[in-house]
Amino acid sequence: MISTFVASRAASIPCLLTAFLDAIVSEAKSKCRRDYEKEDSLNRKLIAMATASALLTFADSSIISCRQRRGLTGTDEWSHDRTTKALELLSAPMCVQRSCAKLSVEFCNLKVESRIIQQVPQFNTRNWRCLAVDQAVSSVETAGLVFPIFLPPDVELLKDPAARNIAAKIQQLPVQTSLSAQPIMTSCVEPKAKGTCAAPVMLLHGFDSSVLEWRYTYPLLEDSGVESWAIDILGWGFSNAEGVKSYGVAAKREHLYEFWKAYVKRPMVLVGPSLGGAVAIDFALAHPDAIAKLVLVNAQAYTEGVGEMATLPKLLAYMGVSVLKSVPVRFYANTLIFTGATYSFLLDAMRVGRLHTLMPGWADATVSFMLSGGYNVAASISQVQQETLVIWGEQDKIVSRTFAEKLVGDIANAKLEYIKDCGHIPHVEKPSIFAALLAEFVSQHR
């Protein structure tokens, strides 16, 4: 649709951009004008080149011809890196830049604050600009995604292209258990190709989270040829959480095992981040036949259940769950989880992390888990026999790195890999490093 619109109005790039932007921001022109006046020269050029690049990515040969007539380098095949192409547009006429700048900073999700650049010295101005351009182009590319009907409508509010991409891939597979008369429709992301690895990888998530947690790492694992499953733990994520007898530890274990028997069917590398580490340890001890290797990521393995929350009256438990769902609590949690993140990133990460709480039955499932007592695997960790990789973000403000060393000491066949300048969720903060460590571990022969 965008390509047809662009091609039909390709008389000139300035006219094209003006028409396109006017259609989008017709109700926000005054706000955009104020935003434009507030932005410094760097941000104005950033918005200009990002928007123009996004449009050109979808343009046909007539637009490419216009680009060439203006003296910009490149070929019709678009084989060069799209960020490099976008950076070339910095030399575009000011009329183009002024037209592009009408698009608000919030729409592009590209605000580059000088104070953030100063706080993160390893990112120079050009790096931030390249990153922002890439996100702008990706935002246009993911604008037409079709999301599964069972996801909450608020999925449309997500701006992060990676989150939108993986959300579009989520499906529900039926899993028969003793927990309900009907199969539990279980949300997961299924690998494109199966049987490509000696051991498939199963990606769990942390406490009260979802498969969206793997939005950055999952594509990298796919590109590395790793057969990867991402699954929502029973009671969380986007599975059907209604009509299930229990959401306690035993129920979560049974559900995961039945999923493995029905779909994975081979010993797997089980990856557990945060509380998912306790889930992984509990599962490995109960079903060693299903586990080839274990990966624990900033694991909350020494937490002794949910503490006093297990004794709360049900009314108070529901009140606590309501607070857990709230925007302020979710946003504040992200400030602890991520190191050096921008406000716009934290805001969208809050939307991503909160989306599953809008599913029917979420509150009941979470209260059921709390009142069940939660996970308490500390005394059994030394019984883990599988080869184990412990990955730890050095700057974790939630779980101390001393527990990483304790895990390696308690598990006979374990090794530890630290990730620098990283907090509680390495697979979100440092996906490239994390994916490389995991892919190498999976490929190693025992």
Side-chain angles (χ1 to χ4, degrees):
M1 180 181 294
I2 294 178
S3 179
T4 303
F5 176 82
V6 170
S8 64
R9 293 163 175 80
S12 68
I13 289 181
C15 292
L16 166 67
L17 294 177
T18 300
F20 179 78
L21 294 171
D22 285 345
I24 295 177
V25 296
S26 59
E27 297 182 1
K29 284 184 178 180
S30 59
K31 181 178 185 301
C32 293
R33 193 174 300 113
R34 290 195 301 271
D35 288 341
Y36 173 68
E37 294 297 330
K38 291 179 181 178
E39 295 302 318
D40 59 18
S41 176
L42 168 63
N43 285 344
R44 290 200 300 270
K45 288 188 176 182
L46 173 62
I47 296 169
M49 67 179 182
T51 309
S53 174
L55 292 173
L56 286 172
T57 301
F58 288 95
D60 63 4
S61 59
S62 61
I63 303 299
I64 297 172
S65 298
C66 290
R67 182 174 178 273
Q68 291 175 332
R69 286 197 297 271
R70 289 170 52 233
L72 297 177
T73 61
T75 65
D76 292 354
E77 295 179 356
W78 296 94
S79 58
H80 300 309
D81 181 81
R82 62 187 175 184
T83 300
T84 302
K85 289 183 174 297
L87 290 173
E88 293 172 0
L89 290 167
L90 278 173
S91 61
M94 280 307 299
C95 61
V96 176
Q97 294 191 16
R98 282 196 296 270
S99 295
C100 293
K102 290 170 64 179
L103 191 59
S104 75
V105 175
E106 286 74 18
F107 178 81
C108 280
N109 194 22
L110 294 176
K111 190 166 186 179
V112 181
E113 302 181 46
S114 58
R115 62 183 178 86
I116 298 297
I117 295 176
Q118 292 170 1
Q119 290 174 4
V120 190
Q122 65 267 31
F123 286 98
N124 58 33
T125 301
R126 181 181 175 84
N127 287 339
W128 277 108
R129 289 163 67 184
C130 291
L131 175 61
V133 169
D134 190 65
Q135 288 183 345
V137 176
S138 297
S139 295
V140 176
E141 290 176 346
T142 60
L145 288 174
V146 177
F147 299 110
I149 193 170
F150 57 81
L151 293 182
D154 281 27
V155 68
E156 297 286 354
L157 301 179
L158 301 183
K159 295 182 179 181
D160 185 345
R164 294 176 64 85
N165 269 322
I166 197 168
K169 295 179 180 179
I170 298 174
Q171 58 183 305
Q172 287 184 335
L173 299 178
V175 177
Q176 187 66 60
T177 69
S178 66
L179 304 169
S180 62
Q182 301 297 322
I184 298 173
M185 299 306 296
T186 302
S187 49
C188 65
V189 179
E190 193 173 3
K192 292 179 181 178
K194 301 172 186 176
T196 57
C197 294
V201 171
M202 175 71 76
L203 305 169
L204 303 178
H205 55 72
F207 171 75
D208 190 28
S209 186
S210 74
V211 294
L212 295 180
E213 203 172 286
W214 295 100
R215 55 194 179 275
Y216 301 127
T217 298
Y218 193 91
L220 299 177
L221 294 175
E222 275 193 327
D223 292 343
S224 299
V226 177
E227 180 184 338
S228 303
W229 296 78
I231 183 174
D232 281 329
I233 298 170
L234 179 68
W236 297 320
F238 306 101
S239 298
N240 179 11
E242 297 181 296
V244 178
K245 296 177 183 177
S246 171
Y247 301 91
V249 172
K252 294 182 190 301
R253 184 193 311 128
E254 178 188 344
H255 172 256
L256 181 57
Y257 184 63
E258 294 301 331
F259 182 94
W260 173 79
K261 282 201 308 181
Y263 299 103
V264 184
K265 303 176 182 179
R266 291 182 290 148
M268 61 185 175
V269 178
L270 187 58
V271 182
S274 192
L275 187 68
V279 178
I281 291 170
D282 173 80
F283 187 85
L285 293 173
H287 301 290
D289 57 312
I291 304 297
K293 296 181 180 181
L294 204 58
V295 180
L296 304 176
V297 186
N298 290 71
Q300 292 180 311
Y302 294 96
T303 302
E304 297 182 357
V306 296
E308 295 181 356
M309 288 190 293
T311 61
L312 287 175
K314 186 169 287 190
L315 177 61
L316 289 180
Y318 274 99
M319 292 174 62
V321 165
S322 296
V323 173
L324 180 64
K325 181 180 181 178
S326 68
V327 169
V329 168
R330 293 276 171 173
F331 187 87
Y332 176 70
N334 282 330
T335 65
L336 297 178
I337 292 171
F338 301 110
T339 58
T342 63
Y343 174 82
S344 59
F345 175 87
L346 291 173
L347 186 62
D348 203 51
M350 180 274 296
R351 294 191 188 101
V352 170
R354 186 174 177 268
L355 185 64
H356 70 280
T357 68
L358 307 178
M359 290 289 289
W362 169 81
D364 293 336
T366 304
V367 168
S368 173
F369 173 74
M370 289 170 54
L371 298 182
S372 74
Y375 283 90
N376 188 350
V377 299
S380 305
I381 292 175
S382 60
Q383 300 174 27
V384 173
Q385 300 298 315
Q386 291 87 355
E387 183 181 1
T388 302
L389 172 63
V390 178
I391 300 178
W392 213 270
E394 283 189 335
Q395 306 302 319
D396 192 344
K397 298 177 183 178
I398 295 178
V399 184
S400 170
R401 60 184 292 175
T402 58
F403 289 110
E405 297 159 5
K406 185 170 175 56
L407 274 172
V408 175
D410 287 346
I411 299 175
N413 190 12
K415 66 176 182 178
L416 173 61
E417 294 282 357
Y418 283 116
I419 298 182
K420 295 181 179 180
D421 302 316
C422 182
H424 186 61
I425 313 182
H427 49 293
V428 177
E429 290 189 71
K430 303 288 184 180
S432 297
I433 298 174
F434 182 92
L437 288 172
L438 180 55
E440 181 182 4
F441 182 65
V442 171
S443 65
Q444 291 172 349
H445 297 289
R446 304 184 68 176

